[in-house]
Amino acid sequence: MASRSGRGVLAVVVGVVVLAGIGWWAEGDESATGAAGSGDRDTVATGSPPSPEPAPAEVPAPADTREPADVPAPAGDDAPSPAPPPDPLIAPARAALPQLEVKGRAPKTGYDRDLFGQAWSDDVSAEFGRNGCDTRNDILGRDLEEITYRPGTGGCVVLTGVLEGPYTGERIEFERGRDTSSEVQIDHVVAMSDAWQKGAQQLPPEQLQEFANDPLNLLAVAGRANQQKGDGDAATWLPPHKGARCSYVSRQVLVKERYTLWVTPAEREAMERVLAGCG
């Protein structure tokens, strides 16, 4: 009996110890699990925030390799001025020049201005003829700009105007008057004296008057340039304004063709040289 009792007590003691050990293990496992969970929660709630992702580096835009589009020419004052059209007299003058007779200058013997009829006569069949205005005023009215006329003259007598002088290129303010009218003169492109020495002395009086009042042979010009020219031909005088030379020589050729006048060898050479350089 005593031994059986002792074995029972021992069994009880062992059981208690076993139960105590199981309880201790369970408690330790729960604490470890809780600590791990708590640690995870602290990391999420109170830990340092995650580092922001770096911003992408800026990529430079690709260079524009396209060719620039054509830019229209500027308008207004910066735009180049268009070239004036060529004088329509140049082409027929080139055609006529080879047909002119070439010979020496005849003597001036017998020349007189009066042989060419009344100065600025309206009694001619040339352009502007018999229109009621004298030839000088006809040419002023043709060649000047900003014109005013004397009242009561039917638009004939030019009082004022502006001339872009063809021989000199200067701008001249014309005003009719004893001391001012001579600033603008009417030039015979083929001078009457030159014409007389190159065939005009053989013309009848009515043709001489036509020659003296033919608008093809007349230009309003600066008075001093007209005086400098005198009765010179293309071999001895050309307008100082080079831009006027093509028109000047073309008129001379066509006038000489119209009135069957000849040219000297030097004059012919000068005319050919000028016309060769015309546009």
Side-chain angles (χ1 to χ4, degrees), residues 97 233-238 249 252 264-276:
L97 181 57
D233 60 20
T236 59
W237 190 90
L238 290 171
V249 168
Q252 285 192 329
T264 65
E267 183 181 10
R268 165 76 174 269
E269 182 181 351
M271 288 174 163
E272 287 180 336
R273 183 175 63 252
V274 170
L275 292 178

Side-chain angles (χ1 to χ4, degrees), residues 21-44:
I22 293 173
W24 175 86
W25 177 86
E27 183 179 356
D29 186 64
E30 184 179 352
S31 299
T33 304
S38 175
D40 289 344
R41 286 194 296 271
D42 289 344
T43 301
V44 174

